[in-house]
Amino acid sequence: MSITIQSNTDTVLELPGLAGTLGPGKTVAVPAMTEDLVRAVDLGLLLVPSGAEPPPGLPPVLFEHHYPHVLPLSADRAYYVRVLRAPGGFHDGTRPRDFVAYYGDGDGMSCAFSDDGLAWDNEKKVSGIAESGYHVVCALETPDRLRILYWDPDVPDQPYNMAGLRTAACNPKTDAAAFTEDAACTGNLVTAGGDPAWNRGHYGPSFLWYNPEPTSIPGRPFTWRYALLFIATTGGNDSLGLGCSDDALDWRLYGDGPVLSGLVDTQPWEGDNGYVSAAHVERLADGRWWMLYSGGPAGNAGIGYAWSWDRIHWTKAAFNPVFRAGGGPFLERCYTPSLVRDADGSLLLYRSGRDDASYRTFVSRLRAQTLDWQDLLAADHLGQGLAPRSAVRRGRGSEAERDAAIPNPALGDEWFNTDLSGGGKWEKFTGTDWKRT
């Protein structure tokens, strides 16, 4: 096993943990990534175009699904959700709250508030932004300054107009629903031309990073104050592009192609014209990054998993999708993941689905593998009406065994990959008998 690293500088690199020197643009294979090399990747000195095996057993893999949906409350729909958590950090107009969610409501953007991430209230329209704007991403820059980027479908010649990307800010300590400084973005993220280039147009942001101590080095997007995954489009296929900015207004494109595409290193679930769109990115303890992303035909057939050392070269997991649209709770669509870390260290995953009536947002709690299986069956974890606790089974088996058993959504059956490193662990929630393997 080896990992290929590449210099991303114009000078000769001499790094701790790296034998000898590395010339500009040169590559070398190392047996493993060290803490010093990971630091060099973070500084933009190195790229990692090839990696080792997928991360073992990560991210947290026990799923507590909550039903029914948590959003919307009274709005027409809730999709493309983004959730933030900061204890007492979001004022809802009456009092400080721990959670805020922003989402498309079918007629623009709404938000709602929560104390635990599960029960939501005080749903209201977001003010101070474009009337029909949604596809929002967020960065809590300081406790009293929240930045959003979003897509405005009302801008002429969408999706082929850079000005469809907009940004605004608010003081969440005062009112997390009231934004100011709304403005259209500029830059070269899209070609806006007639040729179907991968970035001919865009559908707004996919994921946003905020760097409070920027050095803004050309060619190193993560040294800038803002780095952005955006939903690039040819007009017939969507992929993820990467850009950077120092003011969130004027954006520079990184590279000459998408960093993740359904047309590159294709997988069966993506079909002949796989899309990649709304995503969420977190970091592993060893320095790698992992991404959940909307994928498959039209970008709503399920949620895929990819990982990277440098956030530029991504590897799709072989077992994708992690979640798949279909019958039962996964509904007609399954996409737009957003995660937030809760007070106990677990992650809350929000994702959108659609049935005949509406687009809805569901939440699942992801816990570490070290928890016992009975954690999954604790009080009210499955008290949402799909399956009695006594009917829940859990075990291990191969992917072939899993796929050979056909879930019955009418009985509450659903399958989960529970080992996101690609192993054969899996679970079945069911109202029917299940033969343990």
Side-chain angles (χ1 to χ4, degrees):
M1 180 190 73
S2 64
I3 303 173
T4 299
I5 59 175
Q6 179 181 0
S7 169
N8 191 35
T9 73
D10 296 327
T11 61
V12 176
L13 288 176
E14 186 173 359
L15 297 169
L18 183 64
T21 59
L22 188 62
K26 298 296 184 180
T27 61
V28 65
V30 297
M33 293 293 285
T34 66
E35 185 176 339
D36 291 320
L37 292 177
V38 170
R39 176 62 176 158
V41 172
D42 285 347
L43 294 173
L45 301 174
L46 293 176
L47 300 176
V48 190
S50 76
E53 72 281 0
L58 293 168
V61 292
L62 292 186
F63 298 83
E64 299 167 6
H65 295 286
H66 291 258
Y67 303 105
H69 60 279
V70 292
L71 294 167
L73 302 177
S74 59
D76 180 61
R77 60 183 64 173
Y79 63 165
Y80 288 93
V81 65
R82 295 290 171 177
V83 180
L84 298 174
R85 174 184 174 273
F90 308 105
H91 205 284
D92 68 359
T94 62
R95 63 187 175 93
R97 311 294 296 274
D98 289 354
F99 291 80
V100 63
Y102 299 98
Y103 46 91
D105 61 11
D107 190 29
M109 195 188 309
S110 286
C111 66
F113 299 85
S114 175
D115 296 319
D116 60 7
L118 303 176
W120 294 82
D121 56 44
N122 206 1
E123 185 177 64
K124 62 174 70 175
K125 292 289 290 187
V126 172
S127 65
I129 66 170
E131 181 177 359
S132 301
Y134 69 128
H135 289 192
V136 65
V137 296
C138 310
L140 190 59
E141 299 179 359
T142 64
D144 58 1
R145 185 170 177 82
L146 170 62
R147 165 81 60 186
I148 63 169
L149 283 121
Y150 66 98
W151 178 56
D152 181 7
D154 290 341
V155 169
D157 198 28
Q158 285 301 302
Y160 308 114
N161 188 338
M162 179 70 199
L165 180 67
R166 300 185 69 89
T167 185
C170 77
N171 181 347
K173 289 283 191 180
T174 302
D175 189 343
F179 283 81
T180 60
E181 306 175 34
D182 184 59
C185 296
T186 58
N188 67 346
L189 298 185
V190 300
T191 64
D195 296 331
W198 68 275
N199 62 336
R200 179 187 178 193
H202 72 91
Y203 286 103
S206 175
F207 191 78
L208 177 66
W209 287 275
Y210 174 70
N211 176 8
E213 299 179 351
T215 53
S216 308
I217 300 173
R220 304 180 197 174
F222 297 102
T223 65
W224 293 55
R225 187 174 298 278
Y226 302 95
L228 174 73
L229 292 175
F230 68 98
I231 306 171
T233 185
T234 64
N237 178 267
D238 297 351
S239 58
L240 292 186
L242 176 62
C244 55
S245 172
D246 264 341
D247 58 8
L249 287 168
D250 187 45
W251 291 88
R252 302 293 96 189
L253 178 68
Y254 175 84
D256 56 4
V259 295
L260 192 66
S261 167
L263 303 181
V264 179
D265 298 329
T266 58
Q267 298 183 318
W269 74 289
E270 297 174 315
D272 296 332
N273 188 30
Y275 284 49
V276 176
S277 58
H280 185 100
V281 182
E282 291 281 335
R283 194 163 204 184
L284 301 171
D286 67 359
R288 279 178 277 192
W289 299 84
W290 59 276
M291 176 197 296
L292 294 179
Y293 61 92
S294 308
N300 55 41
I303 295 174
Y305 171 74
W307 61 274
S308 170
W309 283 106
D310 55 16
R311 292 175 279 181
I312 294 171
H313 301 87
W314 290 90
T315 301
K316 299 174 185 173
F319 53 85
N320 279 336
V322 180
F323 297 99
R324 185 190 296 274
F330 289 87
L331 304 175
E332 184 178 330
R333 296 186 177 191
C334 181
Y335 62 148
T336 67
S338 176
L339 294 108
V340 64
R341 192 167 295 280
D342 207 353
D344 64 357
S346 65
L347 289 166
L348 292 171
L349 166 64
Y350 300 83
R351 55 189 166 80
S352 301
R354 192 184 79 173
D355 58 16
D356 292 339
S358 184
Y359 293 78
R360 310 177 195 277
T361 290
F362 296 82
V363 63
S364 304
R365 187 181 299 276
L366 314 185
R367 289 190 184 278
Q369 265 186 316
T370 53
L371 295 177
D372 188 81
W373 65 273
Q374 292 190 30
D375 288 275
L376 198 67
L377 309 181
D380 77 18
H381 287 177
L382 291 170
Q384 289 77 32
L386 273 184
R389 290 173 54 184
S390 60
V392 175
R393 303 289 186 271
R394 180 172 182 268
R396 293 168 179 257
S398 68
E399 289 188 67
E401 290 168 332
R402 177 199 64 190
D403 294 337
I406 301 174
N408 184 346
L411 296 175
D413 289 0
E414 55 180 312
W415 288 107
F416 314 114
N417 286 313
T418 60
D419 184 349
L420 297 187
S421 68
K425 302 173 185 176
W426 48 278
E427 298 175 8
K428 182 185 184 185
F429 288 15
T430 181
T432 63
D433 291 335
W434 174 69
K435 183 178 181 181
R436 185 182 295 272
T437 58

